[in-house]
Amino acid sequence: MARKSNSEKESILLDSFDVLKENIGKHNSKITDIISKVSATNLELSVEMWKYILGNAQSLIKEDGYSYTGSVIHNIEKKVGIEKVIDILKENEDIVEACFYISNDVHYYTVSEAIQFGEIELADHILGLIKSNKYKDDSFSSILEDVCESFVDTFEDIHTFDEEWDDRDEHDEKVEIASQGSSILLKWAKTIKDKEQKARLNVTLIDYV
């Protein structure tokens, strides 16, 4: 039996989405699977599907946010790459707010990934939403520490320039991005009132102080 074409598969997935979206809570895993599969061939359509779910499941997002936010980010990233995910967030404020202002489970990796690609303003905006998010399971200071540790791991190699770097310009560009990124992380670290948590953040970011 001949396999169906991508357009035929997409049509089946779209029809399935239209049926399952009538009970988002019951079918959330299949719905997010559809969004992931569609993103591989029709990213624009998958984003519209995602926006529909986020707009119609806000009460669920406050209690089981990862299923609708972090997991979708992760799955789309696997299909099309993190740069495309960052572009989606830059162009869709409603998705950003659902993921970081409403969701109880915050996908903090996105912040450090935004910094990695030089999207400093986006990263700063997301951190502001996380801090104001009254539904988040973890404290802002705990999430910020996770972001900082991920940031430090990403930029660890800038502190030395050796044969591992093929291009001095590439190294200098990464140093500049790290400088900008560390500035916003230090800014948010200053908002932490707990002395122990602030001390932990200062240790993590000591090479950028």
Side-chain angles (χ1 to χ4, degrees):
M1 184 177 70
R3 292 188 176 182
K4 295 186 181 297
S5 66
N6 285 338
S7 61
E8 290 174 320
K9 290 179 181 179
E10 183 180 296
S11 179
I12 292 171
L13 290 172
L14 184 56
D15 288 343
S16 299
F17 180 84
D18 285 339
V19 172
L20 300 179
K21 72 180 184 182
E22 297 304 316
N23 194 333
I24 296 173
K26 179 179 179 180
H27 303 297
N28 70 81
S29 63
K30 288 299 180 184
I31 289 171
T32 55
D33 192 30
I34 290 170
I35 294 171
S36 172
K37 292 180 184 299
V38 171
S39 71
T41 56
N42 191 334
L43 186 57
E44 184 177 348
L45 176 59
S46 71
V47 170
E48 291 306 310
M49 290 176 162
W50 191 16
K51 291 172 74 169
Y52 177 87
I53 296 305
L54 294 176
N56 289 275
Q58 293 207 355
S59 61
L60 297 172
I61 294 169
K62 294 172 184 176
E63 299 177 358
D64 182 27
Y66 183 77
S67 296
Y68 307 94
T69 60
S71 71
V72 178
I73 290 174
H74 177 69
N75 290 333
I76 292 180
E77 179 181 343
K78 288 196 298 183
K79 296 292 186 181
V80 299
I82 184 57
E83 287 184 83
K84 293 285 189 183
V85 173
I86 297 299
D87 286 341
I88 291 170
L89 297 177
K90 285 170 58 181
E91 296 166 5
N92 296 276
E93 177 64 19
D94 48 351
I95 291 179
V96 175
E97 290 189 2
C99 291
F100 302 104
Y101 183 65
I102 298 175
S103 175
N104 69 309
D105 190 309
V106 174
H107 192 68
Y108 69 84
Y109 294 103
T110 304
V111 181
S112 53
E113 287 167 339
I115 294 174
Q116 179 183 350
F117 288 101
E119 299 295 342
I120 309 302
E121 186 176 335
L122 175 63
D124 189 34
H125 176 53
I126 290 174
L127 285 170
L129 291 176
I130 294 172
K131 185 173 177 60
S132 300
N133 181 347
K134 60 185 178 182
Y135 306 106
K136 58 184 179 291
D137 290 336
D138 298 320
S139 68
F140 177 68
S141 59
S142 175
I143 294 169
L144 182 60
E145 182 175 352
D146 288 335
V147 171
C148 290
E149 289 179 349
S150 179
F151 167 81
V152 169
D153 288 343
T154 298
F155 290 94
E156 184 177 13
D157 59 347
I158 68 169
H159 299 293
T160 57
F161 182 82
D162 53 31
E163 64 277 2
E164 295 296 320
W165 285 94
D166 297 325
D167 188 334
R168 165 64 80 172
D169 291 339
E170 180 188 350
H171 173 268
D172 291 347
E173 180 182 1
K174 191 169 184 180
V175 169
E176 177 58 26
I177 291 173
S179 175
Q180 294 177 26
S182 62
S183 292
I184 67 161
L185 295 178
L186 288 165
K187 179 189 77 172
W188 286 107
K190 289 179 181 178
T191 69
I192 303 303
K193 300 291 191 289
D194 184 275
K195 291 182 179 180
E196 290 184 2
Q197 191 60 48
K198 181 173 284 190
R200 290 177 63 88
L201 289 166
N202 287 337
V203 172
T204 302
L205 294 173
I206 190 63
D207 290 331
Y208 300 92
V209 173

